[in-house]
Structures are given as structure tokens and as C-alpha cells.
Amino acid sequence: IFSGYDLNKKINILEIGVDTGTGMELLHKVFPNSSICGLDIRELTSTVGNVWIGDQKDPELLDEISLNEGPFDIVIDDGSHVMEDQIKTFEHLFPKINPGGIYIVEDTHTSYWKSHGGGYGTDSFVNYTKTNIWMVKSTKMLLKLIS
């Protein structure tokens, strides 16, 4: 996924769904000169960057994070895995990514779980991307879905 990046270049990375902070630490090892921040619903800290606390689909919070930490070259959504959250977060952040940037959505298998708002024939994130792929193709950015 990161093969096109100069790993020593300074880039801005946002990880949504920090959990224990190991993802941010790994990103820091891969991109040692980068600025890395996170967003989580729970109070926690990280040794490698700021962790913002709040709801991933809150547009005002996403704007504040983008203003203070962005613009982003890489966004990784490993947050709630709920369809509404994934879609609203994507719609808000994807247009703000730097040209050539990557937007990664992890655990897209939840698009088929009713417990997360998914299921066949629903407004799942996978179905959303199928019907809105023009948005990705019309930019110089990349969307990666990971199940």
C-alpha cells in the first residue's frame, strides 16, 4: 500500500481508532519523519503523536483535527466499523486529503454484518464505494478497502 511513498519524507497521517496505540507506533517506525495523530472515542495517550478524543463522524471535530494536524497524506479508518460512521467520515475527510494521498478503510467485512448497519442490499460502506467510485477515480488519491 505504501510502496509509492518515500518512507523518510515528512507526511501527515491520521489513524482513526487508536485503541492501544500500537498502530500509531508502527506507523512511526515505518514513517519515522512523519507527523502522526489519532482519533479515538476513549481517553488515551500516545508516545508518537496527539490523540484527539471524540466521535469519528463529528464534522466539527474532523475539521479541527484537519486544521491543526493536516492536511493528511494518509488516513486510516480503523474506528467503529459502523456503516454510517465509515461513510460520514469518508465523505468529510476524503476531499481534504493531499493529492496522491491514500484513504484506507479497515475491516470492511462489517459491510455484511447487520450489527454494524451492513448486510446484502444495504447502504453498506462497500456498496457506497461501488456507487461513488467516480469520486475516487476523478482524483489522484487512492482508496483501499481492507477486510
Side-chain angles (χ1 to χ4, degrees), residues 36-117:
I36 302 167
C37 69
L39 168 62
D40 205 284
I41 197 82
R42 296 173 293 128
E43 262 317 303
L44 51 100
T45 59
S46 169
T47 59
V48 299
N50 296 325
V51 178
W52 296 74
I53 309 303
D55 188 329
Q56 77 175 75
K57 67 182 182 290
D58 177 347
E60 291 164 359
L61 176 59
L62 295 175
D63 284 343
E64 187 176 353
I65 295 168
S66 295
L67 180 66
N68 288 285
E69 308 270 0
F72 296 107
D73 300 287
I74 298 173
V75 172
I76 301 170
D77 182 348
D78 191 17
S80 73
H81 313 302
V82 172
M83 300 307 101
E84 178 186 5
D85 296 357
Q86 289 176 329
I87 292 168
K88 286 189 177 196
T89 304
F90 176 80
E91 287 179 340
H92 200 82
L93 289 179
F94 187 75
K96 298 176 189 228
I97 293 180
N98 283 328
I102 297 176
Y103 193 103
I104 299 168
V105 179
E106 293 191 19
D107 300 314
T108 56
H109 62 278
T110 60
S111 282
Y112 303 100
W113 292 4
K114 289 183 181 177
S115 63
H116 287 66

